[in-house]
Amino acid sequence: MALSGESLRRFEDLRRENSSCINLNPIQRGGILSPAARRALGEWGDGYSVCDFCEGCLSDIKKPPIDVFVKEALPEFLEIDVVRVTNGAREGKYLVMHSLCEKGDTVLVDGNAHYSTFVAAERAGLKVESVPNSGGPEFKVDADWYAERIDVVKPKLVVLTYPDGSYGNVPDAARVGRICRDKGVPFLINGAYSVGRMPVSAKKLYADFVVASGHKSMAACGPVGLLGAGKEYAEKVFRRSEKYKKKELELLGCSARGLPLITLMASFPLVVERVKRWDLEVGNARYFSSELEKIGGIRQLGEKPHNHDLMSFESEVFFKISERHKKSRFFLYSELKDRGIVGLKPGITKNFKVSTYGLSGEELRKVVDAFAEIAKL
Ligand SMILES: *Cc1c(COP(=O)(O)O)cnc(C)c1O
């Protein structure tokens, strides 16, 4: 392309096609900005905007109050000793693996682990072993299997996906944590889909580390995340550069700065309140699941009754319609879109994943009705 005039215009006029629709994409529902975060966008959008009063360490900045946020509010929220802001959940996992393990060491993960756990381990030169899930239809991870697997594979770190991003299963993390503590293996909770949606206490779950994702579950624009560490490990994972004494090495001196951090902070008061309403969200998810199953030819996978807003469904009924519909396998996406609903992958009919997080009663009803109508086509 020519780097001039008309051809460059496309980069300036960036309207978002689906912004007025109900979006069911699980990766997006928990990242919708709070009104306060949205107000902050213009004020803090410029590059390095948070650095006006920085004296060399991001988490020490007092204006805006990043120091209180990082050193007081976040540790209290996660019930863990030390917290740092990262660029995402995966960066937190990599940071811990890279600090704690030597090349060739093994990490033990659950059978529903996210790809970013594997990629982080690969980048750190580690072997990955897993505790299998139970297989369909529930795909549960049994905490008790950890004890035996730890004895066999001798991991340097145990990672539990809490909950996983495929089925939204919430495993018994406290039980896994107890096992790890008994065996003296550090335990990391991947809370990308929990921290900011549901209450997560590192203390109650016996976790040495918790990672969170701001753009996935904490109403932040991101990329931004959290890494919490117990005091036994904090010094190691947040060690400082020898040459630059104020710079935390694994964060390369400074992590999320500007809008990712500002929106995370501006949304935090809302996040603190919303995790207290988690029961309501679970109730909505269960309602949604049972209404969809009433349609016929649709089955929810994963734990039942379900304990999280992320749900995976098998939908024979939509596959059958796709075989005779003029839009074939794109019909489901298109029919939903016509009803103001997006977030399912275009082209899928046999399986789909959704999240009901934060939907109002009216929106839930609208989505259920849409699926029921489409199933009658
Ligand atoms: C989305 C997701 C991640 C990655 O989160 P980032 O903050 O984007 O790195 C990790 N684990 C699980 C289970 C996820 O669903």
Side-chain angles (χ1 to χ4, degrees), residues 28-235:
Q28 295 180 331
R29 289 227 55 84
I32 295 169
L33 295 181
S34 67
R38 212 170 285 284
R39 282 197 302 276
L41 292 177
E43 183 87 3
W44 296 91
D46 295 335
Y48 279 125
S49 60
V50 299
C51 306
D52 289 343
F53 302 99
C54 181
E55 292 178 19
C57 182
L58 180 72
S59 48
D60 289 342
I61 293 175
K62 294 191 171 52
K63 268 197 290 182
I66 297 170
D67 61 339
V68 182
F69 179 56
V70 171
K71 293 178 185 166
E72 294 176 33
L74 292 173
E76 193 175 322
F77 182 62
L78 293 174
E79 297 202 279
I80 201 159
D81 299 317
V82 183
V83 177
R84 288 292 181 267
V85 177
T86 64
N87 290 315
R90 70 195 67 203
E91 282 81 359
K93 289 183 283 190
Y94 172 72
L95 192 163
V96 172
M97 292 176 187
H98 187 245
S99 305
L100 251 55
C101 308
E102 303 289 330
K103 280 208 165 61
D105 283 348
T106 297
V107 291
L108 179 61
V109 309
D110 56 282
N112 293 333
H114 191 248
Y115 83 87
S116 61
T117 299
F118 290 89
V119 172
E122 184 178 341
R123 183 178 173 198
L126 310 178
K127 285 189 270 201
V128 179
E129 292 283 348
S130 55
V131 172
N133 66 39
S134 63
E138 289 206 295
F139 302 95
K140 281 191 185 181
V141 170
D142 186 336
D144 285 322
W145 291 0
Y146 271 81
E148 196 196 312
R149 289 296 283 156
I150 289 173
D151 290 342
V152 175
V153 310
K154 304 200 173 3
K156 287 283 158 63
L157 178 72
V158 166
V159 177
L160 182 66
T161 321
Y162 179 79
D164 70 272
S166 303
Y167 307 104
N169 285 348
V170 183
D172 188 349
R175 176 104 190 99
V176 178
R178 279 305 290 263
I179 294 169
C180 292
R181 199 144 291 182
D182 285 348
K183 305 223 174 249
V185 185
F187 175 44
L188 181 149
I189 287 190
N190 175 3
Y193 264 118
S194 53
V195 175
R197 297 165 113 94
M198 54 191 268
V200 175
S201 158
K203 198 166 122 195
K204 293 197 183 97
L205 303 179
Y206 304 94
D208 300 295
F209 302 101
V210 175
V211 300
S213 177
H215 41 277
K216 186 170 280 163
S217 297
M218 301 183 77
C221 71
V224 69
L226 303 177
L227 168 61
K231 57 180 181 306
E232 302 84 342
Y233 298 99
E235 223 166 279

